[in-house]
Amino acid sequence: MDISTVNALTYEEFVELFGNVVEKCPIISAAIWSHRPFKDLTDIEAHITEFIHSLSDSGKEGILRCHPDLAGRDLQSGTLTRESREEQSQAGMTTLDSAEILLMHRLNSEYKERFGFPFVICARLNNKADIVRLLSERLKNDRAAERELAIEEVKKICSLRLHNIVLSGIQTKL
Amino acid sequence: MDISTVNALTYEEFVELFGNVVEKCPIISAAIWSHRPFKDLTDIEAHITEFIHSLSDSGKEGILRCHPDLAGRDLQSGTLTRESREEQSQAGMTTLDSAEILLMHRLNSEYKERFGFPFVICARLNNKADIVRLLSERLKNDRAAERELAIEEVKKICSLRLHNIVLSGIQTKL
């Protein structure tokens, strides 16, 4: 899909296609549609980043709270978004043994108790061992540092989802 | 449900309960959870209003673009959120005859073509005749005025949804 195809989308088509590049935050793609025409994919990413950085600390925490736990309830009950399911699967979260599931549950709970938002990491760029290690390490951060670090992960997830849509869009979506 | 019950909710419970008070924008309830404890329902509404008004014009348009058309594709295909379905039903949008459906379709299309976002109105406070009349009238506004007017409707919808959850929550949710 080239950028002229993206720029020709109605807002409904655009939100349908890009609405989940930031997990469960279709408002973000819906908002940046106002900035068409986009020069390229980097320009779309820049507008998304601008939107995210314009939010207050609580707004950024709002984005994080729209994310599911890794190897958590939504994975067990089959209620993950398609994108999250694929990412968690790729990072090995769907094939944990029962001890690993319990460990993830304990670490996720500690993290949420400490920060008031879930542990967010770009699962496509980390394997199972990385995730457990980083979750344990990041538990030691203070809330402000951890919020910023998690938002950087949101931007990595978003970038990979965007590229995935635009590349696969050539064959399937449009 | 009294306010102490609301203040005792985890962010996951809070977002599950209040996540759709602004249509398809769970980020908003997820963000304002940071401001607990809330004094009362008015305080929750004030934080939501503050979040909405802190957004840029494109951010506000993003909220509007997360709304479905009235008597539109999502109603026909059964993909409305539960809240929207109930509201559209109450305003008579589910029992239109074919001429009325065509009229709504034409007016919605003209509106979206002109403004780049869908016509948003608090359906619970308007009947079928009001909706058709106001949709025709508001088509004559300029984009900035219409954006602000539509955001005021979003706030009315949000207020009624909030009250509905807290009242019905006594019996069902908690």
Side-chain angles (χ1 to χ4, degrees), chain B:
Chain B
M1 196 191 316
D2 63 17
I3 198 68
S4 63
T5 310
V6 173
N7 285 328
L9 298 173
T10 65
Y11 78 80
E12 288 163 305
E13 293 166 335
F14 188 82
V15 175
E16 194 174 330
L17 205 53
F18 295 103
N20 210 46
V21 292
V22 179
E23 180 76 7
K24 292 188 182 166
C25 294
I27 183 183
I28 299 182
S29 57
I32 68 151
W33 185 84
S34 297
H35 298 295
R36 289 161 315 130
F38 303 110
K39 286 195 288 291
D40 48 31
L41 205 51
T42 308
D43 190 33
I44 296 180
E45 270 194 75
H47 283 294
I48 293 174
T49 296
E50 189 190 356
F51 183 101
I52 293 173
H53 285 285
S54 76
L55 294 173
S56 63
D57 290 344
S58 58
K60 288 178 187 144
E61 292 181 356
I63 291 182
L64 301 176
R65 290 185 194 116
C66 289
H67 286 71
D69 287 353
L70 280 162
R73 193 181 57 173
D74 284 319
L75 188 150
Q76 312 302 332
S77 61
T79 50
L80 286 175
T81 61
R82 182 179 53 75
E83 294 86 346
S84 265
R85 191 178 61 242
E86 288 171 9
E87 291 156 0
Q88 294 207 25
S89 170
Q90 201 171 325
M93 293 293 110
T94 51
T95 54
L96 300 181
D97 63 32
S98 56
E100 291 169 326
I101 290 173
L102 284 173
L103 175 62
M104 283 301 294
H105 181 77
R106 183 173 64 74
L107 292 172
N108 278 328
S109 297
E110 272 183 54
Y111 185 100
K112 289 187 285 187
E113 182 66 30
R114 175 162 168 75
F115 298 116
F117 49 79
F119 176 69
V120 175
I121 191 167
C122 181
R124 279 199 197 277
L125 299 179
N126 293 279
N127 62 28
K128 188 167 73 177
D130 295 332
I131 287 172
V132 171
R133 180 176 52 79
L134 289 165
L135 177 40
S136 304
E137 280 178 24
R138 283 171 48 184
L139 261 167
K140 297 169 199 154
N141 287 339
D142 67 34
R143 180 164 168 168
E146 188 52 23
R147 184 197 305 120
E148 296 310 311
L149 212 159
I151 286 292
E152 291 307 308
E153 296 296 315
V154 168
K155 286 156 59 182
K156 290 181 203 167
I157 297 167
C158 172
S159 180
L160 291 175
R161 289 185 181 183
L162 262 177
H163 282 82
N164 195 42
I165 291 166
V166 171
L167 289 175
S168 69
I170 297 167
Q171 286 92 36
T172 58
K173 293 268 186 177
L174 291 170

Side-chain angles (χ1 to χ4, degrees), chain A residues 41-105:
Chain A
L41 205 52
T42 308
D43 190 32
I44 296 181
E45 270 194 75
H47 283 294
I48 292 174
T49 297
E50 188 189 356
F51 183 101
I52 293 172
H53 285 286
S54 76
L55 294 173
S56 63
D57 289 346
S58 59
K60 287 177 188 143
E61 292 181 356
I63 290 182
L64 300 176
R65 292 187 191 113
C66 289
H67 285 71
D69 287 354
L70 280 162
R73 193 181 58 174
D74 284 319
L75 188 151
Q76 310 303 330
S77 61
T79 49
L80 286 175
T81 62
R82 181 180 53 74
E83 294 87 346
S84 266
R85 191 177 62 242
E86 288 172 8
E87 289 156 2
Q88 294 207 26
S89 170
Q90 201 171 326
M93 294 293 110
T94 51
T95 52
L96 300 182
D97 64 31
S98 56
E100 291 169 326
I101 290 174
L102 283 173
L103 175 63
M104 283 301 294
H105 181 77

Side-chain angles (χ1 to χ4, degrees), chain A residues 4-55:
Chain A
S4 64
T5 310
V6 174
N7 284 329
L9 298 174
T10 65
Y11 78 81
E12 288 162 306
E13 292 166 336
F14 188 83
V15 175
E16 195 175 329
L17 204 52
F18 295 102
N20 211 46
V21 291
V22 179
E23 180 76 7
K24 292 189 182 165
C25 294
I27 183 181
I28 299 182
S29 56
I32 67 150
W33 186 84
S34 296
H35 298 294
R36 287 162 315 133
F38 303 110
K39 286 195 289 289
D40 48 32
L41 205 52
T42 308
D43 190 32
I44 296 181
E45 270 194 75
H47 283 294
I48 292 174
T49 297
E50 188 189 356
F51 183 101
I52 293 172
H53 285 286
S54 76
L55 294 173

